[in-house]
Amino acid sequence: MDLSYGPEYQAFRDEVRAFTAKYADRAPRGALGGDMRDWQLLLIEHGYAARTIPKAYGGFGAAPDVLKSRIIAEEFLAAGLPMGMSGQGISMLVPTLLEVGSEEQKRRYIAPTLRGEIIWCQGYSEPGAGSDLAALTTRAIEDGDDFVINGQKIWTSTAAQADMMFCLVRTEPDAPKHEGISYLIFPMTTPGIEVRPLVTMTGRAEFNEVFFTDVRVPKTDVVAGRGQGWMVANATLKHERGMLGDPNQAGTRLKAIVELMQTEDVDGRRLMDNPALRDRLLKLQARVHAMEFHGLRLLTAGLKGEDPGVARLIVKLMGCELNHQLAAFAIDALGELGMLYNNSPHIRNGGNWQWSYMFDLGLIIGGGTAQIQKNIISERGLGMPREPKPAKV
Amino acid sequence: MEFGLTSDQKMMQESLGRTLERVCPLERVRKAADGAAPDVLKAIAELGVTGILVPEEFGGLGLRLLDAALAAEMLGRHVAPVPFIASSVMAPLALLGAGSQAQKERYLPNLATGELIAGVALSEHAAGARAKAGVAAKNGKLSGKALFVLDFAGADIFVVADAFGGLHIVDAEAKGLERTALPTIDATRAIGELNFDAVDAEPLSENPQAALDRMVDAGRVMLAADTLGAGGRMIEKAVDYAKERKQFGRVIGSFQAVKHLCAEMIAELEPCRALIWYAAYAFDEFPDQARRMAAHAKAHTSEVGTFVARTATEVHGGMGFTDLLGLHYWFKRIGFDRQALGGPEKVRHDAAVAQGWVGN
């Protein structure tokens, strides 16, 4: 155990800190500040975004160093500056292409994705294929040099803004469930694609439904080969689950709640002086620390090439739950202010707590529901038996 | 940056685990009286566990609180009926923090070998005074009452905190000292009550207040680690049982209702491990965080421990409830850890004070 960073990393931290001080005014913050794409370019140039992606593909080209990545995240958090662009293109498609994409696909798509010039959406879930993703039925039938796609996707975030989609389709209808799937990439402007916004309980359309009618995609736009889609999807989901359980987000939320409880008062008394609220805050603080240090433990295991086993499998479940609990607590701490929404007078923090409380429930369900996560933890982590297949009638 | 255990630490834990498996099976735990099993104590003393925090110059291993936490985890795992938290952790810290050179030379070597057992009486300082408890010091003599004295049975000396945060050493046989055992739910550890009537005491006078705070913080980290070990073992037992026990023609571990309980237990307990490691490390490296992190480790692991204790018992069905299986030794160990040195609400309050969220 050694939580000191040593001189090389201290120097790196100083460098990042100098950057955050110098360029703070160029950072996009809500409606204020600079443009997100300009910010992204600035970050890539300095190695604070796309850090380990090879220069040939538009990244910064640094050797992977998780400690440096962590220092960047810590310093940006401390300075209250946004990290670079995220989203499904950068977080999921880019790592997937780097892992299994062709050279041509890497050169064509990675750099513009990193620069924010191509926005991606993910076509995985279907109305009949959620937790049981491999049951998907959107079909792609071979026709000359193309596949012709028919079917429907759902829960497609950013589909309305996206330029491209990475999509799972069934190319081999007669193959076993997991073997007949291919991973295709294509522009959202391809004829036959219709996007319908899906309004959620938040009142906003964070997701969409996407309908395909005779959508033609060249066969060359398959990633990792025909029938390999399930393998590719698992590579992508691994990245998504890491993204969804991010402990930094919980730390940021906790910090905001502490500030809220120190500044907001009722009957002339700070919320922090209410012992019942304070006790709940402390419970959550312990959880945030526990997940933060748990992240350090996994980080160290990764550095040493050790498999942390079940410890790794719990992050999505616990991280999403914690974020949701933090939002729920903030609303309780706000009392009657907590029921306000949208642009109501008196609303705090732009209604973000209320939105998060609802939206985060979606994150607990999405990316593998909490129940699916518990299956994974118990089966792969604890070696418990799988649910027996129902008897055939 | 490395957030993990060294190979030495892993080896120490494994060898302690193997020893306890051999000398401290459930049958031995059942027969231990008053939380004492001298043969088990002797076996762990031979590994140096009793002297884990005692500097090498006084015959100990001279290790740090993280190492002690790893030992505590194994003791909890095996519900070992031995003194440790007071005698091997808190008392040496009292001597190291507030004792004179002569006192260190006199007591530490025997504490390190386990030949001398020290109880610790500071509950009023850690968790508040009950039933008019409290100890007054006057002209080198102690009067009053101390409750919930840790590692009570078989103690040769007691380290006693007075009402003003002064620390004293008292001989167990001293004149005017009345000792009364307090039975608890946990038969594997002993606590008791001390009544002082002008009892001769030896002050530990070099900065006792700071030493007292360190003893409480260290004790809380040890209790958390003990729960981590006991809880981890309960989960293993639940998983093993669920893989064997059949109902409705299949092992119950294939029912999601059962599987998910096991997943929830491990998902809650594993992050406690990192929190405890950090709290133990902060105790030695980041003094400004030590109190808050020790409190969080104790309170959070207690909450999770309670959940694990009841859930693992439920997974065992009716068997879990019987004495036959003995699972209740772990259940009760976790229950003891939760209340000792302050229940979760009290301990969280200390964490709030430590970061200036509220006055004392």
Side-chain angles (χ1 to χ4, degrees):
Chain A
M1 193 87 156
D2 176 10
L3 299 188
S4 63
Y5 280 86
E8 183 198 345
Y9 291 104
Q10 196 49 54
F12 183 73
R13 188 183 291 281
D14 293 343
E15 183 193 313
V16 182
R17 208 168 278 178
F19 175 90
T20 56
K22 185 171 173 190
Y23 292 106
D25 59 338
R26 283 173 64 178
R29 276 186 271 200
L32 304 165
D35 176 76
M36 191 58 178
R37 281 188 194 175
D38 293 343
W39 181 243
Q40 175 77 358
L41 293 183
L42 186 69
L43 295 191
I44 296 176
E45 184 193 323
H46 286 80
Y48 303 144
R51 180 172 177 78
T52 58
I53 293 167
K55 274 209 155 72
Y57 308 136
F60 181 72
D65 185 329
V66 283
L67 283 188
K68 287 189 175 167
S69 304
R70 186 176 163 82
I71 289 170
I72 296 168
E74 282 173 358
E75 289 303 319
F76 275 65
L77 175 65
L81 297 182
M83 299 287 289
M85 297 179 89
S86 56
Q88 295 176 324
I90 288 174
S91 306
M92 295 165 70
L93 177 85
V94 167
T96 302
L97 283 186
L98 283 171
E99 216 168 300
V100 295
S102 70
E103 189 55 32
E104 203 267 330
Q105 287 164 341
K106 289 180 196 174
R107 291 198 178 270
R108 192 161 156 202
Y109 294 118
I110 293 178
T113 301
L114 296 176
R115 291 194 299 263
E117 292 159 14
I118 304 180
I119 305 295
W120 292 81
C121 62
Q122 176 204 61
Y124 279 18
S125 298
E126 296 181 5
S131 293
D132 185 9
L133 181 60
L136 60 92
T137 58
T138 292
R139 289 176 78 164
I141 307 231
E142 205 172 348
D143 183 21
D145 292 336
D146 296 336
F147 283 118
V148 179
I149 308 173
N150 280 284
Q152 185 199 340
K153 295 289 172 180
I154 193 171
W155 305 120
T156 320
S157 43
T158 67
Q161 303 81 39
D163 307 294
M164 299 279 298
M165 174 181 268
F166 53 97
C167 186
L168 293 178
V169 293
R170 190 161 295 285
T171 44
E172 267 72 22
D174 301 326
K177 191 167 154 187
H178 294 87
E179 289 164 30
I181 298 170
S182 297
Y183 185 103
L184 294 183
I185 48 181
F186 48 83
M188 290 299 282
T189 50
T190 314
I193 299 178
E194 187 199 346
V195 176
R196 288 186 210 156
L198 185 63
V199 177
T200 70
M201 67 191 289
T202 68
R204 302 177 202 172
E206 292 98 347
F207 300 97
N208 301 274
E209 293 176 285
V210 182
F211 296 85
F212 306 99
T213 313
D214 297 330
V215 175
R216 297 191 82 90
V217 173
K219 280 184 190 165
T220 48
D221 290 335
V222 175
V223 175
R226 189 168 168 167
Q228 297 299 308
W230 188 248
M231 178 273 292
V232 182
N234 275 311
T236 322
L237 283 172
K238 181 177 71 190
H239 299 295
E240 180 180 48
R241 283 174 190 155
M243 180 172 82
L244 290 175
D246 179 9
N248 264 344
Q249 196 184 8
T252 309
R253 282 191 185 181
L254 184 83
K255 216 169 142 184
I257 296 174
V258 171
E259 204 178 296
L260 173 79
M261 287 181 58
Q262 284 172 330
T263 51
E264 191 77 38
D265 48 41
V266 177
D267 281 341
R269 208 165 65 131
R270 295 183 316 159
L271 295 180
M272 189 61 95
D273 294 325
N274 176 324
L277 288 178
R278 195 171 62 238
D279 191 61
R280 281 183 65 185
L281 173 67
L282 285 153
K283 280 186 176 178
L284 287 167
Q285 187 185 34
R287 285 187 172 274
V288 170
H289 282 316
M291 289 312 290
E292 180 195 341
F293 304 144
H294 187 76
L296 285 182
R297 180 183 162 201
L298 297 182
L299 186 69
T300 297
L303 280 170
K304 290 179 161 177
E306 293 171 359
D307 176 15
V310 71
R312 183 174 56 83
L313 303 175
I314 67 167
V315 173
K316 196 268 173 182
L317 176 70
M318 298 302 281
C320 288
E321 181 62 33
L322 179 56
N323 278 330
H324 186 242
Q325 282 180 19
L326 286 162
F329 173 64
I331 288 172
D332 280 356
L334 285 166
E336 285 168 312
L337 292 173
M339 65 187 166
L340 301 178
Y341 197 43
N342 287 334
N343 50 2
S344 170
H346 309 296
I347 200 153
R348 300 296 195 265
N349 197 23
N352 261 330
W353 292 120
Q354 289 83 344
W355 180 80
S356 295
Y357 174 68
M358 292 185 275
F359 187 71
D360 284 10
L361 190 51
L363 294 183
I364 288 172
I365 298 166
T369 64
Q371 287 65 39
I372 290 289
Q373 299 304 320
K374 288 176 193 175
N375 280 354
I376 293 172
I377 293 165
S378 55
E379 289 167 11
R380 295 189 208 157
L382 299 175
M384 298 183 83
R386 294 177 73 95
E387 188 88 358
K389 294 258 182 276
K392 290 217 169 79
V393 274
Chain B
M1 210 290 306
E2 187 177 341
F3 193 92
L5 304 182
T6 62
S7 52
D8 280 357
Q9 286 169 325
K10 287 179 193 161
M11 262 165 55
M12 182 272 281
Q13 244 192 341
E14 276 162 27
S15 103
L16 177 56
R18 273 196 309 273
T19 299
L20 289 168
E21 217 151 279
R22 182 166 49 81
V23 301
C24 189
L26 181 59
E27 308 87 76
R28 181 68 194 91
V29 174
R30 285 184 190 279
K31 285 184 206 135
D34 299 331
D39 50 323
V40 178
L41 179 63
K42 188 160 172 283
I44 69 165
E46 276 164 13
L47 294 174
V49 171
T50 44
I52 198 158
L53 290 183
V54 173
E56 285 171 290
E57 55 176 311
F58 299 112
L61 296 180
L63 297 174
R64 323 199 82 189
L65 201 71
L66 177 58
D67 304 288
L70 299 174
E73 182 192 348
M74 295 318 281
L75 296 173
R77 181 180 168 80
H78 294 274
V79 290
V82 287
F84 179 71
I85 291 172
S87 194
S88 302
V89 175
M90 296 166 82
L93 286 172
L95 284 154
L96 290 168
S100 66
Q101 184 65 19
Q103 286 169 323
K104 289 177 197 170
E105 282 168 11
R106 181 165 167 212
Y107 295 111
L108 286 173
N110 291 334
L111 283 174
T113 58
E115 286 161 288
L116 184 76
I117 301 300
V120 166
L122 49 61
S123 158
E124 289 72 34
H125 180 86
R130 301 261 177 186
K132 293 183 183 156
V135 176
K138 200 176 169 190
N139 302 329
K141 292 186 185 293
L142 300 184
S143 293
K145 173 161 66 175
L147 292 174
F148 315 120
V149 179
L150 299 169
D151 289 348
F152 177 82
D156 306 293
I157 57 169
F158 293 101
V159 176
V160 181
D162 68 36
F164 294 99
L167 288 172
H168 310 266
I169 292 184
V170 173
D171 192 302
E173 303 295 335
K175 191 164 165 282
L177 180 66
E178 189 195 334
R179 291 174 287 167
T180 313
L182 301 174
T184 71
I185 52 163
D186 176 17
T188 67
R189 280 171 303 174
I191 67 163
E193 170 177 354
L194 295 175
N195 278 279
F196 301 86
D197 181 10
V199 176
D200 280 336
E202 185 186 333
L204 293 166
S205 49
E206 324 265 329
N207 200 4
Q209 186 65 55
L212 184 50
D213 284 345
R214 305 261 303 155
M215 290 164 75
V216 172
D217 293 345
R220 286 176 174 171
V221 175
M222 292 306 110
L223 290 164
D226 194 88
T227 292
L228 175 70
R233 188 76 189 100
M234 284 192 93
I235 297 173
E236 285 174 19
K237 283 172 181 280
V239 168
D240 288 349
Y241 185 81
K243 284 180 190 170
E244 274 173 19
R245 168 77 174 166
K246 277 192 176 168
Q247 288 285 272
F248 305 102
R250 46 195 264 214
V251 290
I252 62 169
S254 67
F255 290 107
Q256 285 190 328
V258 174
K259 269 202 307 213
H260 286 192
L261 290 178
C262 295
E264 286 163 17
M265 286 194 280
I266 198 78
E268 288 284 353
L269 192 69
E270 271 308 310
C272 293
R273 185 182 308 280
L275 184 59
I276 291 165
W277 286 358
Y278 188 92
Y281 182 78
F283 180 86
D284 287 310
E285 298 292 334
F286 313 131
D288 58 322
Q289 295 180 31
R291 166 128 298 207
R292 171 163 60 106
M293 289 304 174
H296 274 321
K298 164 77 159 76
H300 181 61
T301 310
S302 294
E303 303 285 17
V304 170
T306 301
F307 165 70
V308 167
R310 74 156 277 181
T311 307
T313 305
E314 282 186 79
V315 169
H316 282 82
M319 281 307 288
F321 182 62
T322 64
D323 178 53
L324 208 61
L325 207 66
L327 190 70
H328 63 88
Y329 283 97
W330 283 262
F331 182 99
K332 292 168 179 170
R333 183 103 174 179
I334 290 169
F336 178 103
D337 290 340
R338 181 181 173 102
Q339 309 308 133
L341 299 178
E345 287 76 13
K346 160 63 181 153
V347 175
R348 279 194 291 271
H349 176 73
D350 290 351
V353 173
Q355 55 196 314
W357 284 358
V358 65
N360 205 343

